Amino acid sequence: MKVDVLVAEIGSTTTVVNAFNHIHTENPVFVGQGQAPTSVMEGDVTIGLNASIADLQRSLNTDSLEYDEMFATSSAAGGLKMTVHGLVFDMTARAAKEAALGAGAIIHLVTAGKLRRGDLKKIQDLNPNIILIAGGVDYGERDTALNNAEAIRGLNLNIPIIYAGNIENQEEIKLIFEDTKQRVYIVENVFPRIDELNVEPTRKVIQEAFEEHIIHAPGMETIRNVVNEAITPTPGAVMQASKLLGKYLKDIIVIDVGGATTDIHSVTVGSDAIARIQVAPEPTAKRTVEGDLGVYVNRENIIDLITREKLEEEGFNVDKILEEYHSIPKNDEEFRFVERLTEVATLMAVERHAGRIRYVYGPEGRATLAQGKDLTEIKYIIGTGGALTRLPAGKEIMMKIMEQDNPEHLLLPNKGAEVLIDHDYIMASLGVLSMKYEDAAAKLLGKSLGIDLMAIQNEESDWSS
C-alpha cells in the first residue's frame, strides 16, 4: 500500500503514526493510525517507530506500507527543555517565556536580572536543550543581557543559545560566543517596546534549533534514518494547528488534558473593552502548561484538589480504583473516575490560563485594570489529547467551561460557544504537516472536528464585505 505522508508522534511512553493520502488534491484523507511503546530508553527511537508502522499496517490489513514523506513531533528524551533569562520578570522575562512556551518548550528555569551563582549551577544541573537570553527594549538597557551571556559562556556548555533582546547587543553577543562550540541564534527582540510583544520570530527559531539538535538526544540519534521532513516539539505542533484554526475560526481555545500535564492554547485578540485597561500586552496565540494537572502521572494532585472524601461521597471506591489504575480506563467505574479528574483538570487549567480583573487605588479613587489573557471573545472550545477525545463525556466536560462564573476572571461569558472534538486525535500531526501543506492540514482538521473550515471562512468574508 502507498500513502503520501506519515506523521509520527514520538511521546515519552507511546509512539503514534498517522497516515494521510491525497495530500496534493482538494480532498486529503486521513487513512489510519498505529501505535507502539516508545523505544527511546533502548537507545534507538526507530524501534518503536517501526513497531507503530507495523501496527498501522495491521490495522490497514496490508503487508507493506510505502510513503513519500515522513514528518515527526517529539516529546521523548524529556521534550524540549529550556531555560529563559530576561531583565524584568513582568516584561522581557515574561515575553521570552511566552515565546518558549508557544514553541512547545518545557521551561525549567526563568530568571530576571543578572544571573547569580545559584542560577548558573541550576543551569548546569538542568542541562537544557536550549538557553534563551533576552533583556532590554530596543535601544534601552544593555548590561544585564551581556552579563548573562558572559556568565553562560563561562559554563562551557555545548548548548544552543538564542538571543532575543535589545537589538544594540546583537554584535556583542556574537563576539561573546564566537570562540565556543555553542551555536548562537540572533533573533528580533521579543519585547522591542514597552507596549509590544514580538514572540513569533523567536518561536520559529526555537523550533529550528530543536529540530537541529534533537537528533543528539539519547535514543534519538537514529531519527533521521526514517524521518525525512520536519521534526517539531509535540506541544509546538499543537500550537501550530491552533494558530491555523485561528485563521478560520478567529477566537478559539484548545484544551489538551494528558497523563502528566494539561496544556491550554488560545488564539484570540480579546475584546476592545479589555484591551483598553490591559496593563501589559499579551500574545494573540498563548500556551500555558499546568504541570500538576495530569490524569495519570499526576492523578494524586487532582484527587487532593477534589478530596478523597468528596470522591467517596460521589460513589467512587478510590483505593480500589487506584490499585488497578491504568493510563487507559478498563471499566465503567474507571471511565467515570477519569472523567471526574479530567473535568477538574480542564476547568482549573482554563481558569489559570485566563487573565483577571484587578482593582487599584490611587488619588482619584479605584481604577479597574486587566492582567493576563482575555478569553471573553472565545467562540470555539476544542478538545484534543487522549482524555477529551476518547472519554465518552469529553464534550460535556468542556461545556462546563461556560458555566464558570467568576467576574474577576476573563473567562467565557459567551454561553453559546461551540464545542468541538478532535475525533481522529490528529491535531499535533496536522500542526507539523501544516508547515508544508497548510491547505491540506486545514481540510483534515475540519474533517476531524466535524466542520467545514472553508465554508466558515467564506461566510465570514461575505459578512465582513
Side-chain angles (χ1 to χ4, degrees), residues 200-460:
E200 291 302 331
T202 300
R203 285 178 178 175
K204 182 178 179 182
V205 170
I206 289 170
Q207 291 185 346
E208 289 174 1
F210 172 81
E211 182 170 355
E212 183 175 337
H213 293 273
I214 187 61
I215 58 173
H216 304 299
M220 297 290 290
E221 298 93 334
T222 54
I223 186 71
R224 277 295 175 203
N225 294 341
V226 182
V227 177
N228 56 13
E229 287 290 342
I231 305 171
T232 302
T234 301
V238 177
M239 172 59 89
Q240 198 72 23
S242 300
K243 289 193 290 186
L244 177 59
L245 282 174
K247 289 185 178 182
Y248 294 89
L249 304 179
K250 305 303 181 191
D251 299 282
I252 69 168
I253 186 167
V254 177
I255 304 159
D256 184 349
V257 180
T261 69
T262 296
D263 288 15
I264 307 293
H265 302 76
S266 62
V267 184
T268 178
V269 174
S271 72
D272 290 339
I274 297 298
R276 285 193 288 270
I277 60 172
Q278 200 94 31
V279 297
E282 285 284 321
T284 300
K286 182 183 181 78
R287 170 182 172 241
T288 52
V289 182
E290 304 307 330
D292 62 327
L293 301 178
V295 296
Y296 183 60
V297 175
N298 286 317
R299 59 188 178 272
E300 290 288 353
N301 293 333
I302 304 178
I303 291 170
D304 289 343
L305 287 170
I306 303 170
T307 75
R308 284 178 175 248
E309 292 76 14
K310 177 68 172 173
L311 289 167
E312 296 283 354
E313 288 174 11
E314 293 174 4
F316 294 109
N317 186 338
V318 178
D319 289 335
K320 181 177 182 298
I321 292 172
L322 293 181
E323 280 177 14
E324 304 168 0
Y325 199 76
H326 300 89
S327 58
I328 300 174
K330 304 295 184 184
N331 54 52
D332 288 344
E333 185 178 30
E334 287 184 13
F335 267 104
R336 287 195 308 110
F337 185 74
V338 177
E339 285 173 345
R340 184 72 172 95
L341 300 189
T342 301
E343 176 188 333
V344 173
T346 297
L347 299 180
M348 181 71 71
V350 171
E351 184 176 298
R352 292 177 184 177
H353 184 88
R356 300 190 179 200
I357 296 295
R358 291 175 50 205
Y359 301 105
V360 296
Y361 295 85
E364 298 180 4
R366 190 177 84 167
T368 303
L369 302 176
Q371 186 172 28
K373 188 65 175 176
D374 177 15
L375 302 181
T376 58
E377 296 294 302
I378 293 294
K379 298 179 180 62
Y380 293 90
I381 304 169
I382 297 162
T384 189
L388 290 173
T389 65
R390 295 297 177 255
L391 290 172
K395 190 167 187 176
E396 288 73 18
I397 288 169
M398 288 191 291
M399 290 183 72
K400 292 184 180 182
I401 294 170
M402 291 178 281
E403 298 173 12
Q404 292 176 291
D405 188 17
N406 186 333
E408 292 188 358
H409 285 77
L410 301 176
L411 289 163
L412 287 67
N414 180 9
K415 307 303 180 186
E418 189 170 350
V419 176
L420 304 171
I421 299 283
D422 175 21
H423 292 287
D424 295 327
Y425 191 3
I426 55 175
M427 199 162 175
S429 288
L430 295 180
V432 67
L433 186 70
S434 71
M435 296 177 183
K436 186 170 183 180
Y437 300 114
E438 184 174 303
D439 288 346
K443 289 171 183 174
L444 288 161
L445 261 175
K447 290 179 182 180
S448 185
L449 296 173
I451 57 174
D452 188 336
L453 292 176
M454 309 301 168
I456 291 172
Q457 187 180 52
N458 290 336
E459 287 175 13
E460 291 277 349

Side-chain angles (χ1 to χ4, degrees), residues 22-44:
H22 308 308
I23 291 295
H24 307 284
T25 73
E26 290 297 311
N27 188 31
V29 175
F30 170 53
V31 178
Q33 189 175 83
Q35 65 179 35
T38 294
S39 57
V40 68
M41 297 306 292
E42 298 172 43
D44 185 355

Side-chain angles (χ1 to χ4, degrees), residues 184-205:
V184 178
Y185 299 83
I186 304 295
V187 193
E188 295 174 26
N189 197 344
V190 290
F191 204 82
R193 285 177 286 278
I194 293 295
D195 59 350
E196 182 183 349
L197 280 179
N198 181 37
V199 297
E200 291 302 331
T202 300
R203 285 178 178 175
K204 182 178 179 182
V205 170

